[in-house]
Amino acid sequence: MAAAIALLAWNTVACGAESRISPLPVREVAPGVFVHFGAIALMNRDNDGAIANVGFIVGGDGVAVVDTGGSVKEGRELLAAVRVQTNKPIRYVVDTHMHPDHVFGNAAFVGIGAEFIGHANLPRAMATHGPHYLDSYRDSLGAALMDGVKIIAPTKTVSGTLELDLGGRRFVLKAWPTAHSDNDLTVFDTQTGTLFAGDLLFVHHVPVIDGSLLGWLKNFDALAAVPARRVVPGHGPLVTAWPGGLADERRYLDCLARELRAAIHRGDPLTAAVKSVCVSESDRWALFAEYNIRNATAAFAELEWE
Ligand SMILES: [Zn+2]
């Protein structure tokens, strides 16, 4: 009897944690390129923080993961999804930028020999904002989902561009000037023309400014010039028309700049201005109420000093 109980306990320990991990559902958007499309929502306990698009590219001798999700649980499920497709080693984990919905899953990929890659500004951004993220997301995600979340800094950084090889499959990382954040990094799979845009591109989900409105607007021509056949936005569905798929985001950010400049020119106080700008856009975006005033407030301060 004692032996049977011991065996039962051993089985629970050996299989318990692993067997509860179900692979994140992914879609093969191009040969060897897999994406899990996150919920268009704020991070919360019910969605595991899985609101950002995360994915991976399978090459000849290894795998590159692009973003790890909003919790270690999501990260583990993404790792399980990789293992459904291939047993090749994960060589790279690319963080497209510092935000929790993109990097809170990093800890799931520690200790497997992967290089963590980010923008040259990412280590500083993580050091500055990381402790606050760990603290403030306890409320929305809850202790269970936050357990094990660690801020994992990149082991390799990119300024300008960096080309990497996954065994006959080249992909190009590009570090962008400050836009959505000051550490935006994109991933371009040259074999299929698939661009992971990170949060330089929002579709349906209203764009969120945590860097520079003017910087973001300045990046549009270079973004539009990427010879992409399809684009995975940071949030929202796959874009297959490029650069046409940038138009909505550009219109919204242009609107913010135009209407805020007019309000500043009239001498409107900030509190009034940020409530009235771009209400014409309100029906066109999800989460507009959650972010538009915040965007306008950040951009007002920037435009005031033009
Ligand atoms: Zn973001």
Side-chain angles (χ1 to χ4, degrees):
M1 185 64 184
I5 289 170
L7 186 62
L8 191 67
W10 182 85
N11 277 331
T12 309
V13 170
C15 312
E18 292 301 313
S19 61
R20 283 199 301 274
I21 297 172
S22 41
L24 210 54
V26 291
R27 176 177 148 205
E28 189 168 15
V29 298
V33 182
F34 298 84
V35 178
H36 172 74
F37 291 90
I40 306 275
L42 300 178
M43 292 167 82
N44 61 44
R45 290 156 217 253
D46 297 329
N47 61 30
D48 293 344
I51 63 160
N53 295 338
V54 298
F56 54 95
I57 303 167
V58 181
D61 64 11
V63 178
V65 168
V66 183
D67 283 339
T68 59
S71 60
V72 180
K73 179 169 188 273
E74 187 187 358
R76 288 193 185 116
E77 291 172 356
L78 176 60
L79 177 56
V82 173
R83 288 295 161 244
V84 169
Q85 301 300 332
T86 178
N87 281 320
K88 291 171 188 170
I90 296 175
R91 298 206 182 283
Y92 307 105
V93 173
V94 181
D95 289 334
T96 62
H97 64 294
M98 66 180 173
H99 285 145
D101 48 328
H102 300 261
V103 305
F104 267 10
N106 277 6
F109 296 87
V110 168
I112 57 170
E115 183 112 70
F116 282 78
I117 307 181
H119 190 291
N121 290 341
L122 184 63
R124 186 188 58 202
M126 281 179 160
T128 308
H129 300 284
H132 168 68
Y133 292 154
L134 291 177
D135 196 40
S136 62
Y137 279 84
R138 281 207 165 257
D139 280 348
S140 47
L141 289 177
L145 273 178
M146 284 299 292
D147 272 353
V149 172
K150 290 191 181 71
I151 302 298
I152 312 284
T155 49
K156 187 183 193 71
T157 62
V158 183
S159 33
T161 59
L162 175 69
E163 188 171 302
L164 292 170
D165 183 27
L166 281 173
R169 184 166 201 159
R170 292 175 306 111
F171 65 102
V172 180
L173 306 175
K174 177 174 165 59
W176 291 80
T178 300
H180 167 71
S181 72
D182 78 353
N183 50 92
D184 299 317
L185 186 72
T186 56
V187 180
F188 185 62
D189 171 45
T190 57
Q191 190 167 309
T192 62
T194 305
L195 175 70
F196 284 85
D199 281 5
L200 282 179
L201 180 65
F202 283 79
V203 178
H204 295 177
H205 181 310
V206 72
V208 178
I209 304 169
D210 194 19
S212 162
L213 170 62
L214 297 176
W216 204 334
L217 290 170
K218 277 192 203 121
N219 281 345
F220 273 125
D221 287 344
L223 252 185
V226 176
R229 296 176 64 187
R230 67 192 64 71
V231 180
V232 180
H235 299 267
L238 186 74
V239 168
T240 51
W242 195 256
L246 264 178
D248 286 348
E249 178 175 273
R250 195 171 200 162
R251 188 197 62 240
Y252 171 71
L253 295 176
D254 274 336
C255 173
L256 275 181
R258 187 178 61 248
E259 296 197 9
L260 282 168
R261 280 181 177 131
I264 291 165
H265 185 71
R266 287 192 303 268
D268 294 355
L270 179 145
T271 45
V274 299
K275 279 184 206 144
S276 62
V277 290
C278 302
V279 287
S280 60
E281 291 280 327
S282 65
D283 294 341
R284 298 179 174 215
W285 299 100
L287 302 175
F288 184 88
E290 284 79 357
Y291 288 110
N292 189 57
I293 289 180
R294 189 203 282 193
N295 284 339
T297 306
F300 189 98
E302 190 184 350
L303 293 167
E304 219 180 357
W305 298 103
E306 270 190 299

